[in-house]
Amino acid sequence: MLRLYQVPLRSRLLLGTAHYPSPAVLTDAVRASHCEVVTVALRRESGGERAGQGFWSIIRGLGVRVLPNTAGCHSVKEAVTTAHMAREVFGTSWIKLEVIGEDDTLQPDVFGLAEAAAILCAEGFEVFPYTTEDLVVAERLLAAGCRALMPWGAPIGSGRGLNNLYGLAALRAHFPDVPLIIDAGLGVPSHAARALELGFDAVLVNTAVARAGEPAKMAAAFAQAVEAGYAARLAGPIEPRDLAAPSTPVIGTAFRG
Amino acid sequence: MRILFNGAWRETAGAELAALLEELGYGDAVVATAVNGEFVAAAARTRTQLSEGDRVEVLAPMQGG
């Protein structure tokens, strides 16, 4: 069973809550995904608005664990302050730490990320850093106290899947015992299955479900893909080879010799 | 006094952060607060004095990925 900061989870699919056409569709998608963790955020809200309160009420009603993020933060200071605010509002020390370094790709600022992770881990947060597949950055994050990593598959919302298979496989091989969750960039369920086949422990999906023609059906499809990918990993996939190898035994083949 | 509230300048009569939230109609809403980039816990809002030019952020739960 997957364990994230000592919390056992049956589902290896984490779901984002943004971009759904309506709260009802979000609710249906979360249920169809059978996920146990959803990501949430904090945003400015005026006193007269109650959109955030309504949203929070819906999420609490779903009975899932929340993983607040620091999305939109471009500096260590912003990310750390947002984490403090999220801990109070959501009542959890879990934080998906994002420090964005570049707006076109939403690539993490890995230097700021490591610095913010060190601060937050020292303060007792359980940090899930949104990072790249860079091994040295991963080492720094683990040294800072992170006990799970969230490497990107591709830029957020791009739907491109696993851009750097070699780099991601190397990350998996280098840290065999660290929970690794592919976060960002997945577009279709086969991307999620591939991530689990490669040995990643879980995936976080948002846009691919929320922007699908039928989000609840896509959420269910991702759930099946994650289960299939994990089962395949356990079953021991064969190694690819360059040339054909007959699957039908050649001994006793007719008309030979 | 004038403060920068959620990115917009506005006048307020509230001397403390808690009074400002009351003035702006937050009531019992679940929100988190920061002043000048520093988190202010809910329990500390009544003793957090505001000054001219302070930057106040009030954030609520929202959808996120």
Side-chain angles (χ1 to χ4, degrees):
Chain A
M1 186 177 285
L2 174 62
R3 281 183 182 274
L4 299 176
Y5 287 100
Q6 308 306 319
V7 175
L9 297 169
R10 287 184 302 278
S11 172
R12 292 172 181 270
L13 175 61
L14 292 75
L15 202 62
T17 57
H19 301 312
Y20 291 84
S22 72
V25 174
L26 164 63
T27 299
D28 289 345
V30 171
R31 290 196 173 123
S33 74
H34 297 294
C35 76
E36 296 163 284
V37 178
V38 298
T39 52
V40 293
L42 287 174
R43 284 291 180 274
R44 288 169 171 169
E45 184 171 270
S46 67
E49 289 179 88
R50 289 294 167 131
Q53 311 305 310
F55 167 71
W56 184 219
S57 174
I58 289 168
I59 296 300
R60 277 184 298 184
L62 288 168
V64 291
R65 182 175 286 271
V66 294
L67 175 57
N69 69 28
T70 63
C73 292
H74 284 68
S75 71
V76 172
K77 180 66 181 168
E78 288 173 9
V80 168
T81 300
T82 301
H84 287 149
M85 298 170 89
R87 180 163 62 178
E88 182 180 79
V89 164
F90 296 113
T92 175
S93 58
W94 280 18
I95 191 75
K96 181 188 155 193
L97 182 61
E98 295 184 35
V99 182
I100 299 301
E102 205 283 315
D103 280 334
D104 284 337
T105 59
L106 298 177
Q107 180 160 344
D109 166 4
V110 294
F111 306 99
L113 182 69
E115 189 181 338
I119 294 168
L120 292 171
C121 288
E123 293 179 353
F125 281 88
E126 294 175 314
V127 178
F128 295 73
Y130 166 60
T131 185
T132 67
E133 64 275 31
D134 190 295
L135 296 180
V136 179
V137 174
E139 290 276 16
R140 292 284 170 86
L141 293 168
L142 296 171
C146 298
R147 294 294 170 260
L149 301 175
M150 302 187 85
W152 65 350
I156 295 169
S158 68
R160 299 182 63 86
L162 305 177
N163 263 358
N164 180 359
L165 278 176
Y166 168 77
L168 288 168
L171 184 70
R172 177 70 286 176
H174 201 69
F175 302 104
D177 301 322
V178 176
L180 298 178
I181 304 163
I182 294 289
D183 172 16
L186 302 189
V188 287
S190 56
H191 295 156
R194 187 83 178 100
L196 273 290
E197 287 165 4
L198 281 172
F200 286 89
D201 295 283
V203 298
L204 168 56
V205 181
N206 191 158
T207 308
V209 169
R211 297 270 202 228
E214 298 193 50
K217 287 185 178 176
M218 189 59 82
F222 266 98
Q224 291 173 337
V226 165
E227 286 204 15
Y230 181 62
R233 174 71 176 183
L234 293 181
I238 63 166
E239 291 296 324
R241 44 186 291 156
D242 292 330
L243 298 177
S247 51
T248 301
V250 294
I251 298 173
T253 303
F255 314 122
R256 298 279 177 90
Chain B
M1 72 185 146
R2 272 163 61 83
I3 59 166
L4 189 62
F5 178 80
N6 277 356
W9 288 101
R10 67 179 304 146
E11 286 287 335
T12 178
E16 304 91 25
L17 182 56
L20 173 70
L21 294 182
E22 196 62 36
E23 177 186 310
L24 296 179
Y26 282 95
D28 59 356
V30 177
V31 292
T33 50
V35 176
N36 296 328
E38 299 289 342
F39 168 60
V40 178
R45 289 175 193 158
T46 52
R47 60 175 186 271
T48 299
Q49 298 291 319
L50 297 177
S51 305
E52 177 80 20
D54 274 351
R55 291 175 292 117
V56 178
E57 295 283 343
V58 178
L59 306 185
M62 196 59 62
Q63 296 85 344

